[in-house]
Amino acid sequence: MSTTSSAPPSNTPNPPNLPSTGGANASAASGSGTKDSNGAPYPEYVLNERVLCYHGPLMYEAKVLKVQNMEEPSQLTGKTGMHYFVHYKGWKQTWDEWVHASRLLKHDDKGLELQKTLKAAHDHPPNLAAPGLASVAAGGPGKGAAAHSGGAGSKHGGGAAAGGTSASGRQTVRKDARGTKRSRDEDDAARKPEMKLIVPEMLKRQLVNDWEWVTKHCMTVPFPRNPTVVEILKQFAEYVVSENPSNLKDPNLLLPTITSGLQTYFDRAFGNNLLYRFERKQYSEARIKYVTGKHVQIGVTEKEMSEVFGAEHFLRMMVSLPGMIAQSTLDPESVALIKEYANELLQYMDRERERLFLTQEEYEYRGADYQNQARS
């Protein structure tokens, strides 16, 4: 039973949206029916109205093309009430989709300000500096003064800015904090270096598929995975030692530190930054099984998430790595080293993707009970 200006399509794809370090699927619009979580009615929108539409952790400008009031739960959204068929500005028509009123906001000053806030949070994730990667600035674990006096991970800033040994092995001297404005600006730049990764096209497609299978088809990655993140990093290290890629500097010295640092990044980011909302209940299940459950023996059966999950979540972390590194205190030379290893790791995962990643058939479909609890 519904009144509509046009019937919705049976299946409309969405614009691809890669996971962010600010929390995958972090949409604040989670209400259902005709009222939001505070009991206030959702605003109504008219045909051809310009709106802002939540999509993953961000909002995008869109235009209302069709309007439909659903008295029964929609097959597409699982909700009743007003639904709108929207076209995203700048996207092809193939990305048009039906959305519930809870995903829309008025295109006004308040909505635009929230859009800017979400984008700022997406572009500048929290600092997740890992001790393992920080020690790269000291030339490896236990090397140089930086490793003992805080180094790249210390409160005094990056390896080059704090004194000690940089990734290239050169001794550096920290300028006096009362120096010129240019010196302070240079220190700030050194603390927030930029790292750009080259993500292979097939891995980009994998990210989009993973997002769609989880958020649109109510599926999760079964655990424990094989191989796990720990095993993938071990296999990558074996590949580097065996093939000795010419673009990687000092693998015998740096490889153990970098792989350990990536594992630490993954474990720290997993719960807050690498999950879609639909997966949070599964995360609780994993923690009970491997971390907090009564049967878990500390140091025996206890496991980190890098020992439980695999390539699907690890790839989400890898594409978020530049944002994490930008908020760290690593010096530019160390970031350049990590960049080379991270790009080589992405190429390795691309070559091994058929072995590392699950197909849609291997994802686990979650029934109504799980869906209701995950969305509550």
Side-chain angles (χ1 to χ4, degrees):
M1 300 262 319
S2 64
T3 58
T4 178
S5 59
S6 179
S10 59
N11 184 25
T12 50
N14 296 298
N17 183 52
L18 305 185
S20 77
T21 59
N25 199 29
S27 170
S30 58
S32 61
T34 59
K35 297 182 179 181
D36 63 20
S37 58
N38 295 320
Y42 291 116
E44 292 189 1
Y45 306 89
V46 298
L47 290 177
N48 298 318
E49 181 174 353
R50 191 166 56 155
V51 297
L52 295 173
C53 184
Y54 276 103
H55 197 279
L58 300 176
M59 285 193 298
Y60 301 89
E61 182 177 337
K63 182 179 180 181
V64 175
L65 301 181
K66 303 173 187 177
V67 180
Q68 181 176 18
N69 185 21
M70 298 296 296
E71 298 177 6
E72 300 293 335
S74 166
Q75 293 183 353
L76 296 175
T77 67
K79 300 178 181 179
T80 60
M82 297 303 298
H83 285 67
Y84 301 91
F85 190 67
V86 299
H87 169 72
Y88 294 96
K89 181 179 179 180
W91 292 86
K92 294 182 179 179
Q93 292 181 350
T94 52
W95 303 119
D96 296 355
E97 64 170 339
W98 284 93
V99 300
H100 184 257
S102 60
R103 282 180 55 184
L104 297 182
L105 285 180
K106 290 289 185 179
H107 192 282
D108 54 19
D109 292 342
K110 183 178 179 181
L112 292 172
E113 183 64 28
L114 178 57
Q115 182 187 39
K116 291 180 181 179
T117 301
L118 292 174
K119 189 175 188 306
H122 176 272
D123 293 340
H124 302 285
N127 187 3
L128 295 171
L133 291 183
S135 67
V136 173
K143 303 292 183 180
H148 300 284
S149 62
S154 77
K155 66 180 179 179
H156 300 296
T165 308
S166 72
S168 65
R170 292 199 301 268
Q171 293 291 327
T172 59
V173 179
R174 191 181 193 278
K175 296 184 179 179
D176 188 274
R178 295 170 296 178
T180 64
K181 181 179 185 297
R182 180 178 179 182
S183 297
R184 292 193 297 271
D185 290 342
E186 289 172 351
D187 284 347
D188 290 339
R191 285 196 294 270
K192 293 188 177 182
E194 184 178 3
M195 182 175 77
K196 295 183 179 180
L197 297 181
I198 302 173
V199 182
E201 288 299 319
M202 293 304 294
L203 293 188
K204 291 180 182 179
R205 184 178 301 180
Q206 165 63 34
L207 285 165
V208 174
N209 288 339
D210 175 52
W211 167 82
E212 183 170 325
W213 297 339
V214 173
T215 64
K216 304 296 288 184
H217 298 293
C218 302
M219 308 177 85
T220 58
V221 176
F223 69 87
R225 284 284 285 111
N226 181 26
T228 64
V229 171
V230 171
E231 292 167 338
I232 292 171
L233 288 170
K234 180 181 178 181
Q235 293 163 4
F236 171 67
E238 292 172 349
Y239 153 77
V240 170
V241 172
S242 173
E243 300 298 327
N244 192 25
S246 59
N247 60 309
L248 300 184
K249 180 181 178 181
D250 298 331
N252 291 333
L253 176 64
L254 298 178
L255 186 58
T257 302
I258 289 177
T259 55
S260 175
L262 290 174
Q263 180 183 342
T264 302
Y265 264 89
F266 181 85
D267 288 327
R268 289 191 179 187
F270 190 89
N272 292 327
N273 304 102
L274 302 184
L275 300 176
Y276 296 108
R277 181 181 177 185
F278 188 73
E279 296 173 308
R280 298 207 65 81
K281 175 172 165 43
Q282 184 195 40
Y283 175 50
S284 298
E285 297 171 351
R287 283 186 55 82
I288 292 173
K289 185 173 182 179
Y290 295 108
V291 182
T292 63
K294 295 181 179 180
H295 64 283
V296 176
Q297 300 179 36
I298 298 177
V300 180
T301 58
E302 183 183 27
K303 292 185 178 181
E304 296 282 2
M305 293 301 104
S306 57
E307 301 173 281
V308 177
F309 291 91
E312 294 77 19
H313 293 84
F314 188 51
L315 181 58
R316 300 180 196 175
M317 192 276 289
M318 288 298 296
V319 299
S320 301
L321 187 62
M324 299 178 186
I325 293 293
Q327 299 303 307
S328 74
T329 53
L330 294 173
D331 67 87
E333 292 173 295
S334 300
V335 172
L337 285 173
I338 296 170
K339 173 185 174 182
E340 294 300 327
Y341 277 85
N343 277 322
E344 188 67 34
L345 176 55
L346 287 171
Q347 294 297 325
Y348 171 81
M349 294 177 68
D350 184 42
R351 291 192 297 271
E352 300 289 326
R353 62 182 181 274
E354 292 186 3
R355 176 179 67 86
L356 296 179
F357 294 97
L358 298 178
T359 64
Q360 182 176 5
E361 290 73 21
E362 293 172 307
Y363 274 58
E364 180 181 3
Y365 175 75
R366 295 294 190 147
D369 288 344
Y370 179 98
Q371 293 181 37
N372 291 334
Q373 294 181 50
R375 290 166 177 163
S376 64

